[in-house]
Amino acid sequence: MGDMANSSIEFHPKPQQQQEVPHVGGFGCTLAELRSLMELRGAEALQKIQEAYGDVSGLCRRLKTSPTEGLADNTNDLEKRRQIYGQNFIPPKQPKTFLQLVWEALQDVTLIILEVAAIVSLGLSFYAPPGEESEACGNVSGGAEDEGEAEAGWIEGAAILLSVICVVLVTAFNDWSKEKQFRGLQSRIEQEQKFTVIRNGQLLQVPVAALVVGDIAQVKYGDLLPADGVLIQGNDLKIDESSLTGESDHVRKSADKDPMLLSGTHVMEGSGRMVVTAVGVNSQTGIIFTLLGAGGEEEEKKDKKAKKQDGAVAMEMQPLKSAEGGEMEEREKKKANVPKKEKSVLQGKLTKLAVQIGKAGLVMSAITVIILVLYFVIETFVVDGRVWLAECTPVYVQYFVKFFIIGVTVLVVAVPEGLPLAVTISLAYSVKKMMKDNNLVRHLDACETMGNATAICSDKTGTLTTNRMTVVQSYLGDTHYKEIPAPSALTPKILDLLVHAISINSAYTTKILPPEKEGALPRQVGNKTECALLGFILDLKRDFQPVREQIPEDQLYKVYTFNSVRKSMSTVIRMPDGGFRLFSKGASEILLKKCTNILNSNGELRGFRPRDRDDMVKKIIEPMACDGLRTICIAYRDFSAIQEPDWDNENEVVGDLTCIAVVGIEDPVRPEVPEAIRKCQRAGITVRMVTGDNINTARAIAAKCGIIQPGEDFLCLEGKEFNRRIRNEKGEIEQERLDKVWPKLRVLARSSPTDKHTLVKGIIDSTTGEQRQVVAVTGDGTNDGPALKKADVGFAMGIAGTDVAKEASDIILTDDNFTSIVKAVMWGRNVYDSISKFLQFQLTVNVVAVIVAFTGACITQDSPLKAVQMLWVNLIMDTFASLALATEPPTESLLLRKPYGRDKPLISRTMMKNILGHAVYQLTIIFTLLFVGELFFDIDSGRNAPLHSPPSEHYTIIFNTFVMMQLFNEINARKIHGERNVFDGIFSNPIFCTIVLGTFGIQIVIVQFGGKPFSCSPLSTEQWLWCLFVGVGELVWGQVIATIPTSQLKCLKEAGHGPGKDEMTDEELAEGEEEIDHAERELRRGQILWFRGLNRIQTQMEVVSTFKRSGSFQGAVRRRSSVLSQLHDVTNLSTPTHVTLSAAKPTSAAGNPGGESIP
């Protein structure tokens, strides 16, 4: 009651205030007044409106707007309103600066180790030991060293630091450009969002950011409200306020009970008009965001820690939290917190692989260092029998530092830090290109998941069909017309009733406007089914506008709006004689059950018994449906003035109807759909149609599209039958029953939203196949939300889709067309292949470089490839190769294979064969050069060179040959399925060509002019030609490898399996599953306990700090849940069961503390 008391006090001095207020731009309400008004709900709000303004129209007068005409579209007035009441825009959070990104890139562990090594090396090189005693320390500094060379000892350390700076700048620049791209994408989504307002009595679509206080906005089923407002007039309006209150029940709004509409809430049913009272930062959503912004600083710090560790995912999702603007703030907040269903397939496989490789690298580098140190110690102190002298310490330490640096370089080369980069580039590139193919990707990993899709559940209307509905058949006055009847053929009474029933009982926002261009079709605005009926009136040479002007929307007595449960819409009007007339329209089989009369050819009533109804269904409705038409029944009922019914008892009111007509509406199949569906089927993807339409219509359309083919064994079910088959006696859904139905199901007709969700969930949870199904779903309506969210990839329609559907989706089809889905599949598979190509290339380099550094170090105490050279190789293979191989454009041939599935390893046998095959070739060459190269080229041997000796030609040749082989192997890596022609389509990728040639150019510069920092000495032309010749040998060798049949190499193991079970034959699986489970469980148990402990402490700390700053509790929940999701990722269940963490509701991929700190 505190509020109430305040409000009454606040408004006592109202009268004299009235005279002063007009100074505030001449409006009768201050910003603060409106803000405090919007904080009230229900009865309190009504009381305050009555006390302060009289009623809503009084509020409109104060805001100088008309409830029916809206604002005058006057720029000065709109501008003034923006200045006084603010604009409908929530300022975005500051993007990270380039320096912040550089700082984040520097957090990389390997780079830190390198930096330390380089600094120690630098420090030691400046310390010159006293000259004369140097003899006593052994022949450490002897050799071909003169004064000038000794000075140059600092170069190696400096060069390492330089290359570290290069890597950091490249990473930071990548992050920065990605952030920029995402901001562009976000602002594009924002600009596309429009809202309907009335200005000058005209309905206009204005961008959401252009809404001002005082605008009269039309709200309808499926809208996401962009600003706060007070309801002027509503029909059966129900709002989902869960985004603000967390309560999932729909709230009924009406002008006389609870007129407060809040931004960020969803309209679930009904329609209405509201006057906008608060926009931007003053709206309810805006206020929450201002609070979040204040509490966001501490979050920032946590995010920073998390960002680097969570690799690609974090880098991807980060911008989504920062790239905000306008009312998109609300949907973005949700987007960043949407718990992604599981770790995406690719991410799971990559994480596993990266950890495996990293461990191997660590072990190798440790062994290298140990061997080098032991060798040196034994040789110096045991074999030569020297004593450790105090003044020799720095010299020895310098040796140890050199060994340490060699160890670190082995590790640097072994760890594929280019992996997240490759994934990021590949996804970002695909997302950008998919934009051109009408796919607006909202969640990056959806792009790659789409490549694994095995099933698509598609809507019919608008996706497979054009969504331009027209009435082609009708049943009026006992006659079935196969085309539009002549107006003269119909009794005036029937015609009049029909025109009224259609004009009044449809949303007044639905209209047919004249075409924009000469000769084009008239424009359909609003609900397409209603447009078809209005078009039918125009075809009958009548007009709906005069009828609507005669009975404007605010004179409608009661409206039962369409929803997915009723499948009908009814409107009640008051007749001149004081009685009421109800018009109703809806799905024919549902509405005809409520009809007891029908109009005959003279327009008189005659009885309509159940027997007549069955007759009508057989003779009229089924034939229409078999032609692929959607049948709609139009009916009416009169109530006398004496007994007014209880309008809330809908079943009572909408019953005992008189049927006026049944019409058949055609929605033609899009011409390009059958071909697209054929492509999907060839690519191993099952297309299912889920529609609210009648079964015959659905079957006819499915046959036209090619979803069902004659002679196939398939099921077409209605929602009821589907439920009967999948539920047990208690009415619970059983997975075993579902598993019997879904594999053959192709068409699900008359389905409710829950049926669609049940089907999607059932297919995803099913364990019947050898792999878990990956399901994509398309939807446009608010009712598709749950299914879109549940699916692995949700596609929402960009044109016909409601905001709720777009909110729940992963990809928005900007042209509502099924062919765009096929493009998405192609891009998704391409991402997967690009990353495999990159891996094939990178792992070859890794294997070779690690073995060379390791054996070289052990045999000659010095790695043939110096630290700086290793870093250059690392740059080639990580950054440049990821750019070159990740930007390969997709080809149609990607659609000729089956989906890989969740369990297929990243590195197939063929790839393993290529990796090992090329590694053998490269190692043979390098070791030959290392041990007998000096004889072959007739040069000095570079082996056993003392510390700080000048670079030798011998080692330069080894380095150069190594790089040449990598360059040519990069061309081999373009094919991963063992194709012969590696040059196929090479010129369609200019980036690839540029990078290969560019790398070659830089290599020439490094070798010829790199000198001391790169440990290179210039080579002669003949030596260059030999290096090139060996490089080209890679291509020839590639052909040799391709000749060896993979099937013969049973010994090769694949790597980088999915998070699921390893590949086994079916017989082994049965008995093998048990063992795997146990072994994995034991291994994981320790990790889980460790994480749980951490998680508990973290949560407690979160809670304390949250209450301290009483800022955003959301942040704490988000971070806590991200740890949970992390735990879930680590547990990597050994069987491919489908797990969703309900506890981890608002996960944010970016705020992920404890990224990859896998113990």
Side-chain angles (χ1 to χ4, degrees):
M1 284 304 288
D3 272 329
M4 298 285 299
N6 283 350
S7 61
S8 53
I9 295 163
E10 206 175 312
F11 286 102
H12 279 310
K14 200 69 198 161
Q16 77 255 24
Q17 202 181 347
Q18 198 112 19
Q19 279 86 51
E20 299 157 36
V21 165
H23 297 314
V24 190
F27 296 113
C29 305
T30 62
L31 179 58
E33 260 177 50
L34 289 173
R35 249 181 98 146
S36 60
L37 170 69
M38 290 320 290
E39 278 160 15
L40 302 178
R41 305 276 179 276
E44 288 182 26
L46 267 174
Q47 186 175 347
K48 182 155 178 183
I49 291 174
Q50 278 157 8
E51 283 174 13
Y53 313 108
D55 59 1
V56 180
S57 44
L59 173 64
C60 291
R61 278 195 297 280
R62 292 274 188 93
L63 288 172
K64 300 203 165 168
T65 177
S66 143
T68 47
E69 298 288 306
L71 294 175
D73 210 351
N74 166 349
T75 350
N76 299 341
D77 176 46
L78 296 178
E79 200 39 59
K80 193 163 77 176
R81 286 171 190 272
R82 284 198 189 96
Q83 266 151 13
I84 297 172
Y85 297 113
Q87 46 182 353
N88 198 19
F89 171 73
I90 296 172
K93 207 165 81 183
Q94 282 302 309
K96 290 212 161 106
T97 59
F98 188 69
L99 287 175
Q100 279 173 311
L101 292 169
V102 168
W103 177 243
E104 278 171 18
L106 278 170
Q107 311 297 310
D108 191 49
V109 186
T110 339
L111 289 180
I112 292 173
I113 296 175
L114 271 180
E115 287 155 29
V116 173
I119 291 165
V120 173
S121 164
L122 267 177
L124 287 170
S125 67
F126 288 127
Y127 173 83
E132 55 279 13
E133 258 117 356
S134 64
E135 278 313 302
C137 305
N139 62 343
V140 273
S141 43
E145 202 171 313
D146 52 43
E147 282 311 294
E149 292 295 348
E151 309 291 272
W154 61 274
I155 288 181
E156 184 152 346
I160 294 180
L161 276 181
L162 191 74
S163 48
V164 166
I165 291 170
C166 272
V167 172
V168 167
L169 288 177
V170 168
T171 318
F173 180 73
N174 259 313
D175 281 5
W176 180 77
S177 57
K178 192 161 67 245
E179 182 127 343
K180 213 169 120 202
Q181 254 181 20
F182 256 92
R183 291 194 164 244
L185 198 68
Q186 287 324 108
S187 60
R188 179 172 161 173
I189 300 182
E190 272 151 45
Q191 285 153 7
E192 280 186 352
Q193 205 178 357
K194 297 261 201 317
F195 208 75
T196 316
V197 296
I198 303 174
R199 286 187 186 165
N200 279 338
Q202 295 289 317
L203 279 182
L204 293 179
Q205 292 268 330
V206 297
V208 165
L211 285 177
V212 293
V213 170
D215 255 326
I216 306 293
Q218 287 266 11
V219 294
K220 57 182 189 309
Y221 163 73
D223 282 341
L224 171 79
L225 298 182
D228 294 355
V230 179
L231 189 64
I232 299 174
Q233 173 265 327
N235 304 319
D236 205 9
L237 197 61
K238 285 191 190 154
I239 306 270
D240 170 14
E241 292 189 348
S242 58
S243 59
L244 287 182
T245 60
E247 300 294 325
S248 55
D249 294 340
H250 297 172
V251 186
R252 190 183 275 275
K253 297 283 181 184
S254 62
D256 51 359
K257 289 202 183 72
D258 179 2
M260 309 313 262
L261 300 177
L262 307 172
S263 56
T265 57
H266 289 119
V267 184
M268 300 314 273
E269 265 185 48
S271 61
R273 288 204 315 277
M274 72 168 184
V275 55
V276 176
T277 54
V279 292
V281 280
N282 301 309
S283 66
Q284 291 302 302
T285 311
I287 293 170
I288 291 175
F289 268 95
T290 338
L291 290 175
L292 276 181
E297 296 311 306
E298 289 109 299
E299 293 218 7
E300 263 300 88
K301 294 174 194 143
K302 296 223 163 60
D303 275 354
K304 282 190 186 153
K305 288 217 295 285
K307 172 146 188 276
K308 192 67 209 164
Q309 295 164 331
D310 205 37
V313 202
M315 299 201 293
E316 292 317 332
M317 296 307 279
Q318 194 70 23
L320 284 184
K321 281 172 60 187
S322 51
E324 319 301 13
E327 47 43 69
M328 286 297 290
E329 197 67 316
E330 169 63 28
R331 59 161 60 175
E332 291 310 338
K333 180 180 79 188
K334 287 201 201 148
K335 180 183 308 185
N337 302 346
V338 167
K340 260 338 250 169
K341 293 107 190 176
E342 294 169 41
K343 205 168 195 182
S344 79
V345 189
L346 188 65
Q347 230 87 53
K349 294 180 181 180
L350 282 175
T351 314
K352 217 166 164 185
L353 193 68
V355 171
Q356 287 168 351
I357 297 174
K359 282 180 186 158
L362 205 60
V363 172
M364 287 295 270
S365 65
I367 296 176
T368 313
V369 176
I370 294 168
I371 290 182
L372 283 169
V373 172
L374 282 176
Y375 195 103
F376 173 75
V377 171
I378 292 171
E379 187 177 47
T380 314
F381 302 118
V382 180
V383 181
D384 299 356
R386 294 178 191 284
V387 191
W388 184 301
L389 298 172
E391 60 270 27
C392 293
T393 307
V395 182
Y396 294 146
V397 170
Q398 235 173 325
Y399 260 103
F400 291 140
V401 169
K402 178 180 166 189
F403 299 152
F404 177 64
I405 290 181
I406 290 174
V408 172
T409 33
V410 172
L411 178 64
V412 170
V413 175
V415 173
E417 55 288 19
L419 259 183
L421 194 65
V423 178
T424 305
I425 291 177
S426 186
L427 286 173
Y429 172 76
S430 304
V431 166
K432 216 170 162 185
K433 293 283 190 215
M434 280 168 81
M435 204 67 195
K436 294 193 178 120
D437 286 340
N438 304 312
N439 283 293
L440 175 66
V441 181
R442 289 187 50 203
H443 296 132
L444 269 193
D445 49 359
C447 175
E448 151 272 305
T449 312
M450 204 47 219
N452 288 315
T454 53
I456 298 176
C457 295
S458 173
D459 245 10
K460 174 177 76 72
T461 312
T463 317
L464 301 173
T465 57
T466 55
N467 201 9
R468 196 187 160 81
M469 314 254 192
T470 41
V471 173
V472 285
Q473 295 188 22
S474 52
Y475 180 79
L476 284 156
D478 289 345
T479 324
H480 183 178
Y481 296 97
K482 287 290 173 87
E483 53 247 8
I484 304 290
S488 52
L490 299 173
T491 323
K493 183 185 170 189
I494 294 185
L495 191 54
D496 207 48
L497 262 171
L498 185 68
V499 172
H500 275 78
I502 292 173
S503 308
I504 294 168
N505 185 29
S506 56
Y508 278 36
T509 47
T510 305
K511 309 188 173 54
I512 293 193
L513 302 177
E516 283 173 336
K517 295 193 204 73
E518 277 291 302
L521 293 164
R523 279 180 302 152
Q524 296 188 340
V525 182
N527 181 306
K528 298 297 191 232
T529 312
E530 292 179 352
C531 286
L533 295 170
L534 294 176
F536 184 48
I537 293 185
L538 297 176
D539 290 339
L540 291 169
K541 310 283 183 284
R542 299 290 288 270
D543 192 2
F544 56 86
Q545 208 50 51
V547 179
R548 286 183 171 181
E549 280 158 14
Q550 185 192 343
I551 305 177
E553 191 170 11
D554 42 23
Q555 283 181 23
L556 300 179
Y557 193 77
K558 173 88 181 140
V559 180
Y560 301 97
T561 48
F562 178 87
N563 69 20
S564 44
V565 182
R566 296 188 183 120
K567 294 218 185 294
S568 68
M569 170 178 176
S570 311
T571 303
V572 182
I573 55 168
R574 207 178 199 130
M575 301 299 280
D577 62 1
F580 300 95
R581 176 169 283 175
L582 167 123
F583 290 117
S584 195
K585 67 165 193 285
S588 53
E589 51 262 53
I590 291 171
L591 218 50
L592 281 175
K593 288 192 180 121
K594 299 182 175 173
C595 289
T596 49
N597 294 301
I598 189 165
L599 295 179
N600 66 14
S601 48
N602 304 326
E604 286 139 16
L605 301 190
R606 72 176 165 81
F608 187 67
R609 300 183 303 279
R611 200 179 63 226
D612 300 328
R613 189 177 70 231
D614 298 340
D615 251 13
M616 181 148 169
V617 168
K618 274 202 192 67
K619 297 198 175 118
I620 313 295
I621 291 171
E622 281 183 2
M624 279 191 192
C626 292
D627 294 339
L629 305 184
R630 179 194 225 156
T631 53
I632 300 272
C633 173
I634 298 163
Y636 79 105
R637 176 184 183 181
D638 284 331
F639 297 95
S640 67
I642 314 146
Q643 21 85 248
E644 182 173 342
D646 169 12
W647 296 114
D648 288 336
N649 183 353
E650 190 190 326
N651 291 339
E652 194 61 33
V653 176
V654 186
D656 197 9
L657 304 173
T658 303
C659 171
I660 306 172
V662 172
V663 293
I665 296 179
E666 180 182 47
D667 186 4
V669 172
R670 287 176 181 261
E672 63 278 3
V673 162
E675 176 55 26
I677 287 181
R678 207 163 28 255
K679 278 183 186 161
C680 282
Q681 289 163 341
R682 204 169 48 217
I685 302 170
T686 315
V687 182
R688 296 183 173 83
M689 181 162 99
V690 183
T691 174
D693 232 330
N694 133 357
I695 184 124
N696 297 323
T697 313
R699 193 185 280 124
I701 302 254
K704 281 183 194 166
C705 294
I707 291 177
I708 53 181
Q709 267 124 12
E712 260 188 8
D713 179 21
F714 57 79
L715 285 174
C716 294
L717 297 180
E718 276 196 339
K720 273 190 192 144
E721 171 66 9
F722 173 68
N723 277 307
R724 196 182 61 69
R725 291 194 185 198
I726 62 169
R727 291 176 192 271
N728 58 18
E729 296 70 51
K730 293 183 197 145
E732 295 157 350
I733 297 169
E734 285 188 5
Q735 188 65 41
E736 302 87 85
R737 291 175 180 239
L738 236 171
D739 288 344
K740 294 198 183 93
V741 175
W742 72 258
K744 286 188 181 172
L745 183 70
R746 290 294 175 275
V747 176
L748 183 58
R750 281 276 172 255
S751 70
S752 67
T754 35
D755 293 341
K756 192 168 187 173
H757 181 257
T758 309
L759 175 67
V760 173
K761 183 173 182 302
I763 298 180
I764 290 178
D765 292 351
S766 168
T767 49
T768 47
E770 50 258 39
Q771 304 177 341
R772 135 147 160 51
Q773 297 273 318
V774 178
V775 183
V777 168
T778 68
D780 53 4
T782 307
N783 50 2
D784 296 323
L788 287 171
K789 244 193 173 66
K790 179 69 192 162
D792 293 290
V793 183
F795 285 92
M797 301 297 142
I799 304 168
T802 59
D803 293 336
V804 184
K806 290 179 187 172
E807 187 57 60
S809 69
D810 300 290
I811 297 180
I812 296 174
L813 298 177
T814 48
D815 63 344
D816 288 14
N817 194 338
F818 191 83
T819 25
S820 307
I821 300 179
V822 182
K823 295 252 178 61
V825 173
M826 207 154 86
W827 275 107
R829 292 187 173 190
N830 192 51
V831 168
Y832 202 94
D833 278 9
S834 296
I835 287 159
S836 293
K837 288 173 190 176
F838 172 71
L839 273 174
Q840 172 170 301
F841 172 68
Q842 176 157 30
L843 291 180
T844 312
V845 189
N846 277 9
V847 170
V848 176
V850 170
I851 294 178
V852 167
F854 176 71
T855 43
C858 299
I859 299 170
T860 66
Q861 288 95 73
D862 182 11
S863 164
L865 297 170
K866 297 290 178 295
V868 182
Q869 297 176 348
M870 284 286 213
L871 282 167
W872 163 239
V873 169
N874 215 21
L875 198 69
I876 298 181
M877 60 185 216
D878 276 6
T879 315
F880 295 158
S882 63
L883 259 177
L885 292 167
T887 52
E888 290 269 309
T891 55
E892 285 278 332
S893 61
L894 287 168
L895 293 175
L896 299 176
R897 63 169 174 77
K898 297 273 176 280
Y900 280 142
R902 297 184 87 80
D903 312 327
K904 171 138 186 354
L906 264 180
I907 299 171
S908 61
R909 277 226 179 108
T910 313
M911 286 167 64
M912 206 51 140
K913 177 183 75 176
N914 290 342
I915 291 170
L916 296 177
H918 287 295
V920 167
Y921 173 81
Q922 296 184 11
L923 285 171
T924 316
I925 298 282
I926 286 174
F927 284 137
T928 312
L929 284 175
L930 182 59
F931 296 114
V932 294
E934 71 270 30
L935 308 173
F936 181 79
F937 284 111
D938 193 21
I939 46 178
D940 294 333
S941 165
R943 290 195 301 282
N944 299 332
L947 204 59
H948 299 320
S949 55
S952 65
E953 281 188 357
H954 183 191
Y955 274 16
T956 308
I957 290 177
I958 295 180
F959 166 59
N960 199 22
T961 311
F962 182 64
V963 173
M964 287 303 121
M965 291 195 291
Q966 299 326 325
L967 272 185
F968 285 99
N969 195 30
E970 199 166 335
I971 298 174
N972 277 331
R974 290 182 67 248
K975 301 290 173 212
I976 49 174
H977 298 299
E979 296 91 331
R980 289 236 172 232
N981 180 6
V982 288
F983 292 104
D984 177 36
I986 195 166
F987 295 114
S988 65
N989 185 2
I991 302 181
F992 184 86
C993 304
T994 321
I995 285 177
V996 171
L997 295 172
T999 315
F1000 185 60
I1002 300 173
Q1003 178 65 13
I1004 295 178
V1005 175
I1006 288 178
V1007 171
Q1008 297 305 91
F1009 311 105
K1012 183 78 195 184
F1014 279 98
S1015 316
C1016 287
S1017 76
L1019 300 181
S1020 67
T1021 318
E1022 186 193 353
Q1023 289 163 334
W1024 262 102
L1025 286 172
W1026 275 108
C1027 295
L1028 264 176
F1029 170 73
V1030 174
V1032 177
E1034 267 289 354
L1035 295 174
V1036 182
W1037 183 247
Q1039 295 301 315
V1040 175
I1041 296 178
T1043 320
I1044 307 169
T1046 314
S1047 49
Q1048 300 299 307
L1049 304 169
K1050 287 277 185 286
C1051 53
L1052 286 185
K1053 197 173 167 300
E1054 299 129 328
H1057 280 269
K1061 54 195 183 221
D1062 285 4
E1063 298 267 303
M1064 295 184 166
T1065 58
D1066 294 351
E1067 304 87 67
E1068 283 175 286
L1069 259 180
E1071 59 221 45
E1073 196 138 358
E1074 229 16 73
E1075 300 159 40
I1076 297 179
D1077 275 11
H1078 281 306
E1080 289 236 353
R1081 241 179 261 143
E1082 286 310 313
L1083 262 175
R1084 305 264 177 221
R1085 195 166 288 150
Q1087 290 183 354
I1088 296 173
L1089 287 173
W1090 165 242
F1091 260 80
R1092 263 186 213 149
L1094 265 179
N1095 189 16
R1096 224 160 259 162
I1097 297 166
Q1098 223 158 3
T1099 310
Q1100 285 158 3
M1101 285 165 65
E1102 294 290 2
V1103 174
V1104 175
S1105 67
T1106 302
F1107 282 111
K1108 262 191 207 153
R1109 68 167 191 266
S1110 74
S1112 86
F1113 172 62
Q1114 178 120 35
V1117 179
R1118 192 155 68 218
R1119 287 191 295 278
R1120 149 150 194 158
S1121 55
S1122 63
V1123 177
L1124 281 176
S1125 64
Q1126 187 65 33
L1127 164 66
H1128 161 54
D1129 293 342
V1130 172
T1131 33
N1132 248 346
L1133 297 157
S1134 46
T1135 41
T1137 38
H1138 174 74
V1139 175
T1140 33
L1141 275 179
S1142 50
K1145 209 60 191 158
T1147 311
S1148 128
N1152 190 345
E1156 279 183 14
S1157 53
I1158 296 176

